[in-house]
Amino acid sequence: MNKKQKKMLIRILISAALLIGFNFLPFGGPLRFILYLIPYLVIGYDILIKAFKGIKNRQPFDESLLMAVATIGAIAIAIYSEVADHENGDYVEAIAVMLFYQIGEWFQSYAVGKSRRNISDLMDIRPDYANIEIGGKLEQIDPDEVEIGSVIIVQPGEKVPIDGIVIEGESTLNTSALTGESLPRDAQEGDEIISGCINMTGVLKIRTTKEFGESTVSKILDLVENASSRKSKSEDFITKFARVYTPAVVYSAIALAVLPPIVRMFVMGIPAEWGIWIYRALTFLVISCPCALVISIPLSFFAGIGGASNAGVLVKGSNYLETLSQTKCVVFDKTGTLTQGVFEVNEVHHNEMDRDDLLEYAALAESASSHPISKSLQRAYGKQIDRSRVTDIQEISGNGVMAKVDGIDVAAGNSKLMDRLGVKWIDCHRAGTIIHMAVDGRYAGHIVISDIEKPHAKEAIQLLKKAGVEKTVMLTGDSGKAAEHVAADLGIDEVHAELLPADKVSQVEALMKRNTGKGKLAFVGDGINDAPVLSRADIGIAMGAMGSDAAIEAADIVLMDDDPIKISKAIRISRKCLRIVYENIWFAIGIKLICLVLGAVGIANMWLAIFADVGVMIIAVLNAIRALFVKNL
């Protein structure tokens, strides 16, 4: 509870105590009015000031004006009743309206604050300091002051403040604040390490590779903190609705206070009963206050985003949460998303050339590439790569690599590359990626490389279908046979293979056209090579993005670990959040409409109006906070 909330709570308690005490006063008249004015001003002076400022700034139509007019009107009716009937006026209702309104506001402020604190606790990854060794002693400095290339020391129990590479030591890292998973990860010399993890066991020396402002922890915190700036359609609707709704109910209340008495007096020829109709109009104003909608809808999305971040799912805005809830088609990139991206050479089929010579030519030709397939060829070769033996390297997108090795022309790639060179190649019936080799213009054989499916990939597809996703599609640049083998094993509905990056964009656009009106399309990729597709889909999801700047920048939703099961969890979180939003909308509007009708015909009094305003708001806020809890989804 902050100072402002404590101050308001004291005001509430003082006003309530005075209201209860003055209710037993044995006398009336001006002194009674003056005494009751004390608790009214104690609890409502800020509302009156806000209403006055709104009128002064020509923006009068908000809940402060509604409360000010309703309560001042109720006091005026009490004074009139006291003067006309010579009885004690009932000031309790007017003060109670303001009191309960402020109780509702305090509760809402406390609930939002608690929600923010929960999110801050869940995302408690911002480091307070970085350790630098100076003269044999550790000194704590601000992470912002650490330059790229500096050596920092992280002791057991401390947070890793900045991204870098371990140059000394080994330890176990707790990444739960980033991934939502409690399973620790090992780190040793040479490993890349990202900020936000907690060092659990050994001392680590880390050479920083980024400034603090560009490190993973800063980007994640910026994402979560700025998510509220991207509003959903539901939030935009409520904002626009409130702008029209508030002046409409003010004018309706004026009409309710004025028109019936005039009709009674001049048309029907009976007493106007101004007091009764003004009281009904004031009750109408209290009931109509749109607090429940204006407060609970943004709070629902805020809580949903916070709950998702606790589960290792970063959502860049409530608009993306709303779009994700409508997802009916999920399109996957294969490598690094459904498979581990860890390629291994399984077989080498060679013609007249020796097996080891064929692997040597392949590894040297691919030595300039950082692609996982190239790395697997270099690992299979198993010797130090002498780059001086390789010249004239030419990489052809979607085909392969051509180079000169020891002055001999070598080509390593798919069947398209062989056709391009006019080399007759031999087909292979094994599932996997086939690297055809041409040496000195003649076909030398092929190498079979296979990727490994992720342990939970099959379960992830099943969970997506249980979550209501109607179609799953896989896009890959891999060979047709390898792609079809993976798709069949995982239970994917549709597969498109041998695609270039531009082809993936075209396929997504075609799928979106086919699915028009049938729900939204989500594309799931590793966020590095798939940036164009992530941007083009209705919703782009980057997974396994710990430390990947490209993923955080390109995607709308970022999954902080490599587990594809998180995709279905993200969809379930979004649907729970939207379900809560619609529950609050229908509940708030429904109760208010019923009470407005009852107030207009004179059945509802000011106490029912208080429930329709404050009671509905509290119920809606409590319901909204449920979006924060996603552990069992």
Side-chain angles (χ1 to χ4, degrees):
M1 193 184 304
N2 58 35
K3 289 183 179 178
K4 187 177 179 181
Q5 290 167 348
K6 288 178 181 177
K7 184 179 177 182
M8 176 54 73
L9 184 58
I10 291 169
R11 285 171 57 195
I12 288 170
L13 294 174
I14 291 172
S15 181
L18 291 174
L19 181 61
I20 294 168
F22 292 162
N23 197 42
F24 296 101
L25 290 176
F27 51 84
L31 180 58
R32 182 182 177 86
F33 164 70
I34 292 169
L35 289 174
Y36 269 110
L37 203 58
I38 295 171
Y40 176 75
L41 292 175
V42 167
I43 195 62
Y45 73 87
D46 53 338
I47 300 298
L48 299 176
I49 292 171
K50 284 180 187 177
F52 174 75
K53 286 182 178 178
I55 295 169
K56 185 179 177 182
N57 297 328
R58 297 181 180 179
Q59 294 178 332
F61 297 113
D62 60 12
E63 59 255 31
S64 296
L65 178 71
L66 300 184
M67 285 298 113
V69 171
T71 53
I72 290 172
I75 289 172
I77 289 175
I79 294 172
Y80 172 78
S81 173
E82 194 165 63
V83 172
D85 301 331
H86 306 289
E87 295 180 0
N88 290 337
D90 188 4
Y91 300 105
V92 175
E93 279 190 346
I95 301 168
V97 167
M98 189 65 82
L99 177 62
F100 282 107
Y101 173 75
Q102 291 285 44
I103 290 172
E105 288 290 295
W106 179 86
F107 179 82
Q108 173 259 325
S109 172
Y110 181 78
V112 172
K114 185 172 177 57
S115 178
R116 288 184 182 275
R117 286 193 301 276
N118 284 344
I119 292 169
S120 298
D121 292 342
L122 299 173
M123 294 298 294
D124 185 20
I125 56 178
R126 187 188 297 278
D128 301 315
Y129 59 86
N131 293 320
I132 299 286
E133 189 172 352
I134 301 176
K137 294 182 179 180
L138 289 184
E139 290 196 13
Q140 295 181 355
I141 65 171
D142 192 309
D144 280 315
E145 298 176 11
V146 179
E147 297 179 353
I148 296 175
S150 301
V151 175
I152 59 174
I153 296 172
V154 183
Q155 301 179 101
E158 293 182 333
K159 296 169 193 166
V160 177
I162 304 171
D163 297 7
I165 297 173
V166 178
I167 59 171
E168 186 180 317
E170 57 182 50
S171 182
T172 303
L173 303 176
N174 180 351
T175 64
S176 61
L178 296 173
T179 65
E181 301 295 338
S182 57
L183 191 66
R185 300 189 179 192
D186 295 327
Q188 55 191 359
E189 189 174 329
D191 288 350
E192 289 187 9
I193 190 170
I194 65 170
S195 50
C197 303
I198 297 175
N199 184 19
M200 296 173 65
T201 53
V203 176
L204 295 176
K205 281 191 177 181
I206 300 169
R207 188 177 303 281
T208 61
T209 55
K210 295 179 184 176
E211 293 179 345
F212 176 69
E214 293 299 315
S215 64
T216 302
V217 66
S218 293
K219 287 182 178 291
I220 291 170
L221 289 167
D222 183 61
L223 264 178
V224 175
E225 288 164 3
N226 293 319
S228 59
S229 63
R230 300 178 178 91
K231 291 190 175 182
S232 66
K233 290 180 181 178
S234 301
E235 286 179 285
D236 284 335
F237 165 74
I238 292 301
T239 303
K240 292 172 184 175
F241 172 78
R243 287 175 189 162
V244 176
Y245 171 82
T246 306
V249 298
V250 170
Y251 294 134
S252 298
I254 293 170
L256 183 61
V258 173
L259 293 181
I262 290 175
V263 170
R264 288 171 64 91
M265 191 165 49
F266 294 106
V267 178
M268 302 174 66
I270 58 177
E273 296 183 342
W274 287 98
I276 292 173
W277 290 100
I278 290 173
Y279 180 82
R280 290 185 185 181
L282 297 175
T283 303
F284 187 92
L285 278 179
V286 176
I287 294 169
S288 63
C289 189
C291 300
L293 289 173
V294 173
I295 292 166
S296 69
I297 306 309
L299 180 60
S300 299
F301 281 110
F302 184 76
I305 290 170
S309 53
N310 179 38
V313 179
L314 300 185
V315 184
K316 288 188 176 181
S318 52
N319 55 331
Y320 301 125
L321 204 63
E322 188 169 44
T323 302
L324 183 64
S325 70
Q326 301 164 12
T327 300
K328 292 295 181 184
C329 177
V330 178
V331 182
F332 294 90
D333 174 54
K334 180 177 79 72
T335 306
T337 303
L338 294 172
T339 61
Q340 295 182 16
V342 179
F343 291 85
E344 299 292 342
V345 172
N346 287 335
E347 293 187 30
V348 178
H349 299 160
H350 49 97
N351 289 345
E352 298 175 0
M353 184 175 290
D354 183 72
R355 177 186 185 278
D356 292 339
D357 290 340
L358 185 66
L359 271 177
E360 183 177 12
Y361 277 123
L364 288 166
E366 295 272 6
S367 62
S369 174
S370 60
H371 193 281
I373 287 178
S374 303
K375 295 293 185 185
S376 70
L377 290 169
Q378 292 170 43
R379 282 196 304 273
Y381 174 51
K383 299 177 183 177
Q384 187 71 31
I385 299 290
D386 183 359
R387 293 284 296 275
S388 65
R389 296 172 58 189
V390 188
T391 58
D392 299 342
I393 298 173
Q394 182 182 1
E395 188 166 349
I396 303 171
S397 180
N399 284 243
V401 174
M402 295 191 299
K404 286 185 181 292
V405 177
D406 298 330
I408 299 171
D409 289 327
V410 176
N414 56 24
S415 57
K416 292 179 185 177
L417 181 62
M418 297 297 107
D419 292 338
R420 185 187 185 110
L421 297 174
V423 174
K424 189 176 180 181
W425 48 276
I426 299 172
D427 196 10
C428 181
H429 300 287
R430 288 292 306 273
T433 299
I434 310 300
I435 304 297
H436 294 281
M437 295 291 302
V439 178
D440 201 16
R442 291 178 295 180
Y443 190 67
H446 53 257
I447 301 167
V448 182
I449 299 174
S450 297
D451 195 0
I452 304 168
E453 293 173 9
K454 289 187 176 178
H456 297 144
K458 190 169 186 176
E459 185 183 354
I461 301 299
Q462 293 170 349
L463 288 173
L464 279 174
K465 292 181 178 178
K466 282 184 182 178
V469 172
E470 296 172 358
K471 189 170 191 177
T472 53
V473 183
M474 187 175 77
L475 307 180
T476 179
D478 210 343
S479 67
K481 286 179 183 177
E484 287 168 10
H485 174 76
V486 172
D489 191 48
L490 298 181
I492 290 174
D493 302 321
E494 187 176 324
V495 60
H496 299 274
E498 300 181 16
L499 300 175
L500 300 175
D503 297 330
K504 292 182 181 179
V505 175
S506 301
Q507 286 290 346
V508 165
E509 288 177 342
L511 286 165
M512 289 171 69
K513 195 172 182 180
R514 276 161 44 192
N515 287 293
T516 302
K518 298 179 182 177
K520 301 296 184 181
L521 180 144
F523 178 81
V524 187
D526 59 19
I528 300 171
N529 302 318
D530 299 312
V533 207
L534 286 166
S535 302
R536 182 63 189 90
D538 291 321
I539 193 87
I541 304 174
M543 62 180 301
M546 288 178 64
S548 170
D549 293 340
I552 292 175
E553 294 297 329
D556 306 315
I557 293 174
V558 180
L559 309 183
M560 291 306 295
D561 63 10
D562 291 325
D563 194 347
I565 283 180
K566 287 282 178 71
I567 303 164
S568 60
K569 181 152 191 170
I571 291 175
R572 290 196 299 274
I573 290 170
S574 68
R575 289 180 179 167
K576 177 182 179 180
C577 181
L578 266 292
R579 186 169 62 250
I580 289 170
V581 166
Y582 291 128
E583 285 170 0
N584 282 343
I585 290 173
W586 287 111
F587 173 71
I589 292 177
I591 295 294
K592 283 188 179 292
L593 285 176
I594 293 169
C595 291
L596 283 172
V597 173
L598 294 176
V601 299
I603 297 174
N605 59 16
M606 206 56 94
W607 294 105
L608 183 61
I610 291 170
F611 167 74
D613 176 31
V614 179
V616 169
M617 182 182 71
I618 290 175
I619 292 170
V621 167
L622 285 173
N623 193 39
I625 292 175
R626 287 198 304 118
L628 188 64
F629 306 105
V630 299
K631 189 172 182 179
N632 296 323
L633 286 181

